[in-house]
Amino acid sequence: MNVPDIVFDPRRLAVLRSYQVLDTLPESGFDDIVQLAAHICATPVALVSLVDGDRQWFKARTGFDGSETDLTRSVCAHSLASPDLLVIPDLALDPRTNANPLVAGEPRIRFYAGAPLVTDDGVALGSLCVIDQVPRPGGLTGQQQTMLRLLARQVMSQLELRRALVERDAILLDKQSAEALEKVTASLYTSLFDAIDAGFCIIEMKFEDGAAVDYRFDEVNPAFAMQTGLHDARGKWMRDLHPGHEQHWFDLYGKVARTGESIRFENPARELGDRWYEVHAFPIITSGGSRKVGILFNDISDRKEIELARRETERVQELVNGELSHRMKNMFAMVQAIATQTLRSVPDKVPVEAFTSRIHALSKAHDVLLHQDWTAAPIGDILKAVLGSLERIDRFELAGDKVILGARATLTVALLLHELTTNAIKYGSLSNDTGSVAVSWRLAGAGDGVELVLNWRESGGPAIGPPTRRGFGSRLIQTGLVGSGGVDLDYDAAGLRAEFRAPLVQVQLS
């Protein structure tokens, strides 16, 4: 794929690197924007993509694996020369992108819309883009286009604010640059503070006997009142506005003023309406040498409420699962006890032991389901639980895709594995100390015809043949993964070879 010449423009690359954002950690301000873009445009993927000289790097992403790609995979590189939105309804039909490995191969993206990220000087750094895996002949709606442009401008505001704060922190390290710091701060007031949604203020601390007891608001931005509910706060002391404001706020800001070290934290403010805040507090040294504290913050109360609700739900679910597990184990123990008492007069103990062993296998399967809220279970977890309860797990070689089984299929597969393992212990490769079993599973087919295929391969055991009589265990094996057959058994001299197949939809819904 041809890469546009603008990508390699030295001035463009120098401006991009001046933001000092490449290879930095994720930040919620950018992460929130891509989530919003994907939601508004109804796409599975949204990216904040910055195009460097040899790669495109994602400051924020949703629905896309990996933090960067090489330029041959970059559609965003083409947006750099676009004065407005770049919309490609079908990437497979556009000569600029049809050879792109992400289009021609996995994940086979087909639709792209990108709003260029352009500085005030007209330099394009990358794009805020949305991507889909199906073509969109109609592109985006007018409203979606407008919102994508607005969100791209918000990305640039975040980048400008970030660069300004990085520059400010660098200046703070040099005591001889105090005058330059004031100029940067003044520039921030006029160019950024009025535009950002985050609350910002500069405070002056008040100490008594070395303890922080109050602070005064020297500067506040327009978003400050919306974020805090404090109106006309400039020039006022916090204790006058809210006498009951928690002491931990004063202690934290006082520490920043005393030590000159920045801090990031999340804290509740009960006096401000039970709100939670995400805060970045940093020192500001004035020309007179006094220390003030700059505070950039966001109200994260909604996020905290969701987190608390999730934790409570998880706590309740854990209690319910624990009680269910306890009751299920008691029930299985009672069934085994009743069976033992009822069948103790039976002279042949082999079927009695087989019955109780099957009950134990079902118990293990129920344990796995309880850990998954009783809805479904990964096949790998089922294998480890059932096989490990009968024989050392290191005698099995397990390999396969991540496949989730429905609750009913979980129990059926558990019984199937139990029968195969007990047979291997009695007659097959696990009847000695050197044999082993390879168990693998995979998905085969496409579309509605996808099947789960489970293979059982024994080796290192004695030569075996088909069973001479057809008991319950043999009949159970013949029922397969979901009780509908799909079984191929080969009693090879080297060991049993078995393949079980079932439609994936039955395995997951059963």
Side-chain angles (χ1 to χ4, degrees):
M1 188 187 80
N2 293 327
V3 179
D5 292 339
I6 190 174
V7 170
F8 308 106
D9 178 65
R11 176 171 174 265
R12 192 193 73 83
L13 293 173
V15 172
L16 172 62
R17 285 159 191 164
S18 73
Y19 282 83
Q20 302 182 57
V21 68
L22 295 174
D23 299 314
T24 56
L25 294 173
E27 297 175 48
S28 60
F30 296 96
D31 292 340
D32 292 345
I33 290 174
V34 295
Q35 293 287 348
L36 240 159
H39 176 72
I40 290 170
C41 297
T43 59
V45 179
L47 307 167
V48 172
S49 174
L50 301 174
V51 182
D52 202 0
D54 59 354
R55 59 173 176 158
Q56 65 174 351
W57 179 79
F58 308 127
K59 176 58 183 171
R61 66 187 191 274
T62 182
F64 191 88
D65 294 331
S67 60
E68 64 179 55
T69 74
D70 59 53
L71 292 178
T72 64
R73 289 170 165 78
S74 175
V75 181
C76 294
H78 295 283
S79 72
L80 299 180
S82 177
D84 193 12
L85 290 179
L86 173 63
V87 179
I88 304 178
D90 192 340
L91 295 164
L93 300 180
D94 194 296
R96 294 170 295 180
T97 58
N98 57 9
N100 187 307
L102 299 180
V103 178
E106 293 298 330
R108 300 191 184 281
I109 62 176
R110 294 296 296 275
F111 170 75
Y112 174 91
L117 303 176
V118 183
T119 68
D120 290 339
D121 297 329
V123 178
L125 308 180
S127 73
L128 170 65
C129 68
V130 293
I131 296 171
D132 206 341
Q133 291 177 302
V134 295
R136 288 195 182 183
L140 298 178
T141 66
Q143 185 178 22
Q144 288 172 333
Q145 294 181 33
T146 298
M147 293 304 296
L148 195 59
R149 293 187 188 98
L150 291 175
L151 289 174
R153 287 203 290 271
Q154 184 66 18
V155 172
M156 285 308 305
S157 295
Q158 292 279 349
L159 287 172
E160 294 290 350
L161 176 59
R162 192 185 185 286
R163 181 168 69 170
L165 292 176
V166 169
E167 290 173 353
R168 183 196 313 225
D169 288 344
I171 293 171
L172 284 172
L173 297 176
D174 186 355
K175 292 182 180 180
Q176 296 178 352
S177 300
E179 184 177 350
L181 174 63
E182 288 186 353
K183 292 180 180 179
V184 171
T185 304
S187 175
L188 272 174
Y189 291 157
T190 57
S191 64
L192 296 175
F193 290 174
D194 290 347
I196 62 175
D197 294 331
F200 182 84
C201 61
I202 295 176
I203 62 172
E204 180 179 349
M205 296 301 305
K206 178 180 180 181
F207 295 92
E208 290 183 1
D209 298 327
V213 295
D214 206 349
Y215 53 81
R216 182 179 63 200
F217 295 102
D218 284 359
E219 298 286 348
V220 298
N221 76 331
F224 176 89
M226 179 183 68
Q227 293 270 357
T228 64
L230 299 176
H231 298 274
D232 301 320
R234 184 175 178 180
K236 296 180 181 178
W237 292 90
M238 188 62 188
R239 288 298 190 196
D240 292 335
L241 294 170
H242 275 284
H245 194 49
E246 294 93 334
Q247 180 61 35
H248 58 73
W249 294 98
F250 302 93
D251 296 337
L252 288 167
Y253 296 149
K255 182 179 179 181
V256 174
R258 284 195 304 266
T259 65
E261 296 178 356
S262 299
I263 57 172
R264 293 178 183 270
F265 61 91
E266 295 179 359
N267 258 354
R270 305 304 180 199
E271 283 289 305
L272 301 183
D274 272 338
R275 305 188 192 196
W276 272 84
Y277 291 98
E278 179 182 56
V279 181
H280 177 203
F282 49 89
I284 296 178
I285 306 175
T286 66
S287 57
S290 64
R291 289 186 182 271
K292 296 187 179 183
V293 180
I295 305 167
L296 188 67
F297 61 94
N298 267 306
D299 184 344
I300 58 170
S301 303
D302 290 344
R303 192 186 83 195
K304 282 294 183 180
E305 185 176 351
I306 292 172
E307 289 178 2
L308 291 172
R310 187 186 70 245
R311 289 196 196 103
E312 178 62 16
T313 299
E314 290 172 351
R315 186 188 68 82
V316 172
Q317 187 63 56
E318 186 176 349
L319 289 174
V320 171
N321 283 351
E323 180 62 20
L324 278 174
S325 178
H326 177 69
R327 293 190 180 192
M328 290 298 294
K329 287 177 181 177
N330 286 345
M331 184 190 74
F332 281 122
M334 184 178 296
V335 170
Q336 285 184 311
I338 292 172
T340 301
Q341 289 297 318
T342 304
L343 302 175
R344 62 181 176 178
S345 60
V346 175
D348 186 359
K349 297 302 181 183
V350 173
V352 176
E353 292 172 358
F355 174 75
T356 57
S357 183
R358 287 167 186 145
I359 292 294
H360 182 67
L362 284 174
S363 175
K364 287 294 181 182
H366 278 83
D367 284 344
V368 175
L369 281 171
L370 281 170
H371 285 294
Q372 303 294 325
D373 297 335
W374 201 256
T375 56
I379 189 171
D381 292 356
I382 300 166
L383 283 161
K384 292 174 184 176
V386 175
L387 303 181
S389 70
L390 298 169
E391 182 57 84
R392 295 196 329 267
I393 198 65
D394 60 4
R395 299 195 67 181
F396 298 89
E397 180 183 341
L398 308 180
D401 303 324
K402 183 177 181 180
V403 180
I404 303 299
L405 304 185
R408 180 181 173 187
T410 295
L411 303 179
T412 305
V413 170
L415 287 174
L416 172 64
L417 293 169
H418 171 268
E419 296 303 323
L420 291 169
T421 306
T422 53
N423 286 347
I425 292 172
K426 292 178 182 178
Y427 315 111
S429 63
L430 302 181
S431 62
N432 58 31
D433 295 331
T434 59
S436 62
V437 180
V439 187
S440 63
W441 60 96
R442 58 188 172 84
L443 298 178
D448 295 337
V450 176
E451 289 186 313
L452 172 64
V453 182
L454 176 72
N455 291 104
W456 177 279
R457 298 287 186 268
E458 297 183 23
S459 60
I464 61 170
T468 56
R469 65 183 185 87
R470 187 177 174 84
F472 175 79
S474 297
R475 292 195 299 273
L476 194 151
I477 291 173
Q478 288 290 347
T479 63
L481 297 174
V482 291
S484 59
V487 179
D488 182 17
L489 301 176
D490 179 10
Y491 293 92
D492 188 82
L496 175 63
R497 304 285 189 267
E499 182 175 276
F500 304 90
R501 308 177 75 97
L504 182 62
V505 65
Q506 291 185 21
V507 169
Q508 293 184 329
L509 294 180
S510 58

